[in-house]
Amino acid sequence: MSAKHTDTTPRPQFAPRRRGVGLGGAGGGRPGGPMGAMLGGDKPKDFKGTIKKLLRYLGAFKAALIFVSVCALASTVFNIIGPKLLGNATTELFNGIMGQIAGTGTGPDFGIIASILLSVLALYGIAALFQFIQGYVMAGVANKISYRMRRDIDAKIMRLPFSYYDKVPTGDVMSHITNDVDAINQSLSQSVTQIITSVATLIGVIVMMLSISWQMTLAAVLTLPLSFGLIGFIVSKSQKHFGAQQKFLGKVNGSVEENYGAYSVVQAFNGQERAQKEFEENNSTLYNSAWKANFLSGLMMPMMNVVGNIGYVIVCIIGARLAISGSMQVGDIQAFIQYMRTFQQPIVQAAQISNILQQTVAAAERVFSLLEAEEVPADAANALEVHAADIKGAVEFNRVRFGYTADKVIIKDFSAKIKPGAKIAIVGPTGAGKTTLVKLLERFYDVDSGSISIDGVDIRSYKRSSLHELFGMVLQDTWLYSDTIAENIRYGRLDASDEEVRAAAKVAQADYFIQTLPGGYDMVINEEASNISQGQKQLLTIARAVLHNPRILILDEATSSVDTRTELLIQKAMDNLMAGRTSFIIAHRLSTIKNADLILVINEGDIVEQGSHDTLLQAQGFYAMLYNSQFDVGNE
């Protein structure tokens, strides 16, 4: 099968879980409680630069965002006008009652009051309609942006070089497409309109309050320093407890994950008491931190209410004096108190939004760092298209030098000529560069110097996708995905018929065991592929490679993790697969490569010996030492 269909490029399905990352763990979301959103999270390194990139990304939705902004402003305006009209109704009712008591009037004009109340109802109805429209449109925009980001990330992942994954853990890449995009989605769907609404509400309320009384407005504004002081005090006291809560929540999650994930090991080494003690210590510390954090954060709203009530008392006193002097209507006092209550909301929201915005920009920064990562170089304009049918399979390594990093050279000066159809075994100690050679052959990495050619043509002259079609790989670590057995085999050639799939399985010695499974070829392999054995997995990957029908075959320790009987089946299947193909066999179990046409012995990146099995044994060199370390020479 081709490189894009091999075990070396598995389709990412699950990110490996790291210690402390779980439900509510140190890596999973903000702290709980009212103060959670106001505490510090991840901080972006380049706030302004990332904001500019995010705005450019949002450029495709400019019209929708402008429409949402207009709806948010309209909704806010209609909501702000409401208390003023309600104040007029209160004034009309008060004046009518007082006139009736004084004998100067007939009482309240309920027709006017009803008209005012209907107007208020209409205003709030229109405001609610605009809120619904803005929420509907913004939810669509946020999800379209999430869709586009995930699509771009997925496409980017397919264009990233292998060297990227040498430096970045798979779990981090998965986190970008899940956690980071979700954070951006939630922020866009909620915070953007909240920012617009909060700013418009703050400005509008101040204007309306000033239109009623500048003295009362001044009294209301003077309560702000006290509010900010209380918020700052509570945050400073509770933040360290929230930090400890997240830390030990992560430890509790990590402890549970490790102990249950390795439950058999815990049992085997009698580690139950130690594991339970560790859990109890972390859980106790978590309890102490959590209740302190939540208690302190729970004080914020009551304290804010106290400050607000003090403000209401001051406003009522000033308003009463103004009303008595005749410079203010009673309804204006009621309207002002409503505005004052509304006035506090944007202030609290501003503190929340500022932190959410930082976390959103930090998430966007991580996403953009992936999207801007260096990609696999594009094929040259004159790159050749190669077809498997035209390839004989002659391979030449000419003074190849390569290192994953500049200061660590793996392959120093490697040269070898491989005839078409030959079986080449590559042996050597761990870290000698065996697997690196086949990665270079498939051009997952480019050589630092020297060249690799197929049928006399440098592989760098071919299109990458065309080159990959020449290869098939069967690896020690099998990769199967959650689908039917037939579809797992068909992954080698997606347009293959059911008959071709079954024929490939027969060549791979897999048809018999497939027939014994419930459902046969239609049996669904579960997500962990744990409902079939290791040997059966290996036979399926061989069947996949048979179906792909490659010109050059790479076998990397394909039988190292199975029993002797299954190894014989796999060996027979691989013999069928290797027939007529140039084959590279990486092996540690040297008994499996006795019949190789050529054995390349690699040590520290260089070929130290080459020849047939018997010739190398007679030479009594490095290969003989490796071989004798595995077998009793006398019995041989």
Side-chain angles (χ1 to χ4, degrees), residues 161-211:
F162 269 55
S163 57
Y164 180 85
Y165 297 100
D166 294 337
K167 298 175 288 186
V168 180
T170 306
D172 287 354
V173 177
M174 292 300 297
S175 180
H176 295 327
I177 205 169
T178 53
N179 299 344
D180 290 338
V181 174
D182 280 344
I184 295 170
N185 182 321
Q186 292 177 11
S187 179
L188 289 175
S189 61
Q190 298 173 14
S191 299
V192 170
T193 54
Q194 199 174 34
I195 290 171
I196 298 169
T197 302
S198 296
V199 172
T201 299
L202 191 61
I203 295 173
V205 165
I206 291 175
V207 170
M208 296 302 291
M209 289 168 69
L210 286 171
S211 70

Side-chain angles (χ1 to χ4, degrees), residues 33 52 77-78 168 174 216 220 230 242 301 378 451 492 514 583:
K52 290 179 181 178
V77 169
F78 284 116
V168 180
M174 292 300 297
M216 294 168 67
L230 282 173
F242 270 114
M301 293 312 297
S451 65
I514 293 174
S583 304

